[in-house]
Amino acid sequence: AQSVTQPDIHITVSEGASLELRCNYSYGATPYLFWYVQSPGQGLQLLLKYFSGDTLVQGIKGFEAEFKRSQSSFNLRKPSVHWSDAAEYFCAVDNSGAGSYQLTFGKGTKLSVIP
Amino acid sequence: EPEVTQTPSHQVTQMGQEVILRCVPISNHLYFYWYRQILGQKVEFLVSFYNNEISEKSEIFDDQFSVERPDGSNFTLKIRSTKLEDSAMYFCASSVGETSVVETQYFGPGTRLLVL
């Protein structure tokens, strides 16, 4: 069965520091991968997605993610974190390669930013 | 920018009562979804809906749950007889519905349901 693992439950970084949030997936077919962000009291906002092609994808708010098939990973990065980036981040895999449109989510990583 | 909206934002109900959670998907979208997130746990898929019928449902989506598109804009999730374990954040999502390609799902802000 497909699964998504986000090994870090909570990460704290200083404002201006770089950030990498880890995501590993287990999926038999070609994975379609997403990162969503949830700010307090808000819904899930799409940051970026990978369907095919260039393995480094750019998203909103200065985020990027790199798909590495050999490592089954899709890590999210940002070179310089802003205080407003404090939120919870979810990695998800689409199951459409298996004929299903449901998303399978990881447990999320909560990001705290120290001013 | 068009967005998915959900009402109410919070709902408190007594165990055994029926609740209806409402969603207005993005207007030109054809595929609709419900997910839930129990506190501290993963976001879990409940059901997808396309062309006025359920496309797919998870094992969580048992007989106490139902979905409906009562008019051209709303998409509802009904829980007939709520249980304590139904307490969760419920997210609605929608996507374009071009089923030949991967769908990007856009989520609403959620309804936090508390069953007492």
Side-chain angles (χ1 to χ4, degrees):
Chain A
Q2 55 277 3
S3 65
V4 176
T5 302
Q6 293 180 249
D8 304 304
I9 297 172
H10 192 182
I11 285 182
T12 301
V13 299
S14 298
E15 191 169 18
S18 64
L19 171 71
E20 182 169 30
L21 302 182
R22 295 183 290 166
C23 171
N24 293 96
Y25 66 89
S26 171
Y27 190 64
T30 302
Y32 302 113
L33 296 155
F34 303 81
W35 275 99
Y36 286 86
V37 60
Q38 184 180 26
S39 299
Q42 303 295 311
L44 295 166
Q45 182 183 21
L46 180 67
L47 278 178
L48 48 76
K49 60 191 177 187
Y50 171 76
F51 288 172
S52 64
D54 194 345
T55 56
L56 184 65
V57 293
Q58 304 296 321
I60 62 171
K61 305 184 180 187
F63 285 92
E64 66 178 26
E66 186 171 12
F67 171 62
K68 293 185 177 180
R69 185 185 297 273
S70 62
Q71 299 177 18
S72 297
S73 69
F74 188 56
N75 294 347
L76 182 71
R77 300 195 295 245
K78 186 169 185 178
S80 178
V81 168
H82 188 261
W83 64 266
S84 61
D85 294 324
E88 190 152 19
Y89 292 80
F90 294 92
C91 182
V93 62
D94 177 283
N95 298 289
S96 55
S100 162
Y101 290 108
Q102 62 177 278
L103 293 175
T104 298
F105 283 85
K107 281 194 170 184
T109 298
K110 185 174 181 180
L111 174 66
S112 298
V113 180
I114 301 171
Chain B
E1 184 178 325
E3 56 184 23
V4 176
T5 59
Q6 291 185 242
T7 54
S9 58
H10 294 79
Q11 173 108 36
V12 181
T13 190
Q14 295 291 323
M15 189 169 57
Q17 295 297 303
E18 174 183 286
V19 296
I20 298 176
L21 310 183
R22 291 182 169 80
C23 168
V24 179
I26 294 172
S27 63
N28 64 335
H29 284 187
L30 301 177
Y31 229 113
F32 316 123
Y33 312 81
W34 284 102
Y35 290 79
R36 78 171 185 192
Q37 184 184 26
I38 295 172
L39 192 63
Q41 298 188 24
K42 293 185 181 187
V43 176
E44 302 172 290
F45 169 80
L46 291 177
V47 65
S48 61
F49 190 87
Y50 178 75
N51 201 22
N52 281 320
E53 60 183 24
I54 289 174
S55 178
E56 197 175 0
K57 61 182 180 180
S58 71
E59 61 232 21
I60 303 169
F61 193 87
D62 61 23
D63 290 344
Q64 70 162 339
F65 291 95
S66 62
V67 290
E68 192 180 25
R69 186 148 166 87
D71 52 45
S73 59
N74 290 282
F75 179 53
T76 62
L77 175 69
K78 182 191 288 186
I79 309 175
R80 285 189 187 81
S81 178
T82 50
K83 298 180 269 196
L84 296 176
E85 54 265 37
D86 294 328
S87 296
M89 177 75 90
Y90 288 81
F91 291 106
C92 175
S94 69
S95 64
V96 172
E98 295 171 347
T99 54
S100 61
V101 300
V102 179
E103 296 284 305
T104 298
Q105 296 178 31
Y106 296 89
F107 284 77
T111 293
R112 184 167 294 286
L113 176 65
L114 178 61
V115 182
L116 302 176

